[in-house]
Amino acid sequence: MPISLDRQTFLKQSAWLVSATTAAGILMFLTQALAILWLTEPGDYSLMATLYKTLNLFLIPSVGLQTLFAREASQRRIAASELLEASAFARGAMERLALFWLLLGGVCFGTLESLSAYFKSESPLPITLTWLGIGPLLLAPVAMGWLQGLERFPAL
C-alpha cells in the first residue's frame, strides 16, 4: 500500500527535525569538549559556563516573541495593504530590542572592570563576546516569527 503524500511529508519533516536535534546535540558536546581541552585554568571553564548560562537566560523570551510575531503576521497577511502597517510593527519591535541591547552594552562596557573582577576574568573579551551574542538572541525570534507568520518557510 503506497504511503500518502501527507504521511510522506510528515515523515520527511520528522526526519529533518531528528537530524537537526542530533546535530545540535553533537555541536553542544563538541563545544564542551573543546572548552575543556582549550581552557587550561579551572576558573576559565567556570567563567565560560556562567556566561553561557547568561546567554541561555536571554533565550527564555524567544519562544514567546516568536509565537507573538508569527500570530501577528498570520493575522495581517490577508490584505496586502495591511502588510506595510504590520511590517512597521515588527520593525518597531526590532528597533526597541536593538535599543535595549545597546543600552545593555552601555551598562556592560561602563562597568566592564567591575564585571571582569566579579567574574574573575583577566580579559574583557568573554564579557564582550557574551554581549555580542545577546543581540542575535533577541532579534532572531522576531524575524523568524514574522517569516513563520507570513508562511515564508524557505527564508527560515
Side-chain angles (χ1 to χ4, degrees):
M1 179 167 106
I3 298 176
S4 69
L5 185 59
D6 289 337
R7 190 168 176 195
Q8 276 184 325
T9 304
F10 172 76
L11 291 173
K12 185 169 40 170
Q13 290 175 350
S14 296
W16 276 112
L17 276 173
V18 168
S19 300
T21 304
T22 304
I26 290 169
L27 289 174
M28 285 299 302
F29 172 77
L30 289 175
T31 300
Q32 297 297 318
L34 291 174
I36 290 170
L37 290 175
W38 285 345
L39 300 174
T40 56
E41 299 291 322
D44 290 345
Y45 183 77
S46 63
L47 173 66
M48 186 213 64
T50 302
L51 294 177
Y52 179 69
K53 287 178 185 177
T54 303
L55 286 175
N56 281 336
L57 287 175
F58 280 92
L59 280 174
I60 292 171
S62 68
V63 174
L65 283 172
Q66 185 171 347
T67 303
L68 171 79
F69 283 96
R71 185 179 315 141
E72 184 70 25
S74 68
Q75 289 174 350
R76 294 182 183 228
R77 73 180 155 89
I78 298 168
S81 62
E82 291 183 6
L83 190 59
L84 188 59
E85 177 187 327
S87 296
F89 171 71
R91 276 192 310 276
M94 290 184 81
E95 287 170 1
R96 286 181 182 91
L97 286 170
L99 180 64
F100 170 73
W101 178 61
L102 291 173
L103 289 172
L104 183 65
V107 170
C108 283
F109 292 120
T111 60
L112 195 56
E113 288 182 22
S114 302
L115 284 173
S116 293
Y118 179 76
F119 287 119
K120 298 179 179 93
S121 173
E122 296 174 6
S123 170
L125 185 64
I127 295 167
T128 305
L129 290 176
T130 303
W131 174 74
L132 286 172
I134 288 172
L137 292 178
L138 290 174
L139 297 174
V142 175
M144 289 174 28
W146 196 253
L147 290 172
Q148 180 182 2
L150 295 175
E151 295 184 3
R152 295 186 182 160
F153 298 110
L156 292 174

